[in-house]
Amino acid sequence: MELAETAPSQLGPAVEPSAGDTPHRICLITLGGELFAVDLRHVREVFEVESVTPVPGMPSTLTGVANLRGTVMPLADLRPVLGLPASGPRPKYAVVVQYDAQQVAVLVDQVPEIRTIRAGEMLEASTRGTKGVRPFVSTIVKVDERMSGFIEIRTLLACVEAGEGH
């Protein structure tokens, strides 16, 4: 399922709290019952995870790999690193996120939703949430009277590559 409704060059500047009142396109995802946002420019696609192949020696954030049309795609489960319960069934969907040449599929509970927000709806967040350290959540976004952590994809991919996860 392709998500990009607009070419990346048409999406405007990177999402930054000080960017004035410029509209930004975000992709909303749910993990462990919590809402998170991702800059739509970093979202490549969403797919249903049919099977996961565990790979020994992978960083703890990575649960294994999946086959995505013949491409081996690493799967990240962010629930533990975000302080969310990882018990229960494995999420059924994954959102492929990319920054430069790096990409990973992030497991999500529900198929995401695309929204437009304004910079005025964004607040700087502490990297420490109520449930522990959240190193790649830099901003809080207000969506329909709910607060959503904004996931910085570059920082997320650096954490996954470095093997950080607990």
Side-chain angles (χ1 to χ4, degrees):
M1 171 186 317
E2 297 292 329
L3 275 186
E5 297 175 354
T6 309
S9 62
Q10 298 173 330
L11 292 175
V15 176
E16 297 175 3
S18 61
D21 204 28
T22 306
H24 303 284
R25 301 287 284 162
I26 60 169
C27 176
L28 294 174
I29 60 174
T30 55
L31 293 168
E34 285 196 34
L35 190 63
F36 292 91
V38 176
D39 187 334
L40 185 60
R41 294 176 303 159
H42 298 295
V43 176
R44 296 295 153 241
E45 65 183 287
V46 177
F47 67 98
E48 188 171 348
V49 179
E50 295 177 11
S51 67
V52 176
T53 303
V55 178
M58 290 183 88
S60 60
T61 308
L62 296 177
T63 61
V65 296
N67 181 344
L68 179 59
R69 293 183 309 280
T71 300
V72 176
M73 183 63 60
L75 290 171
D77 186 352
L78 302 182
R79 294 175 299 174
V81 76
L82 289 170
L84 302 171
S87 59
R90 178 184 38 109
K92 186 176 178 179
Y93 303 99
V95 176
V96 178
V97 294
Q98 181 175 358
Y99 186 87
D100 290 334
Q102 292 180 293
Q103 66 180 7
V104 68
V106 176
L107 292 169
V108 298
D109 296 331
Q110 296 178 354
V111 174
E113 175 185 343
I114 297 171
R115 292 275 184 104
T116 299
I117 61 166
R118 298 215 169 262
E121 297 171 290
M122 301 167 60
L123 304 167
E124 188 173 335
S126 166
T127 56
R128 184 160 185 81
T130 57
K131 298 180 181 175
V133 175
R134 293 181 171 185
F136 41 81
V137 176
S138 65
T139 306
I140 301 295
V141 180
K142 185 178 176 184
V143 179
D144 294 336
E145 304 303 319
R146 287 183 66 189
M147 301 309 270
S148 166
F150 188 85
I151 297 175
E152 292 291 337
I153 299 304
R154 179 179 59 179
T155 308
L156 165 67
L157 291 171
C159 288
V160 169
E161 187 173 295
E164 298 173 15
H166 296 320

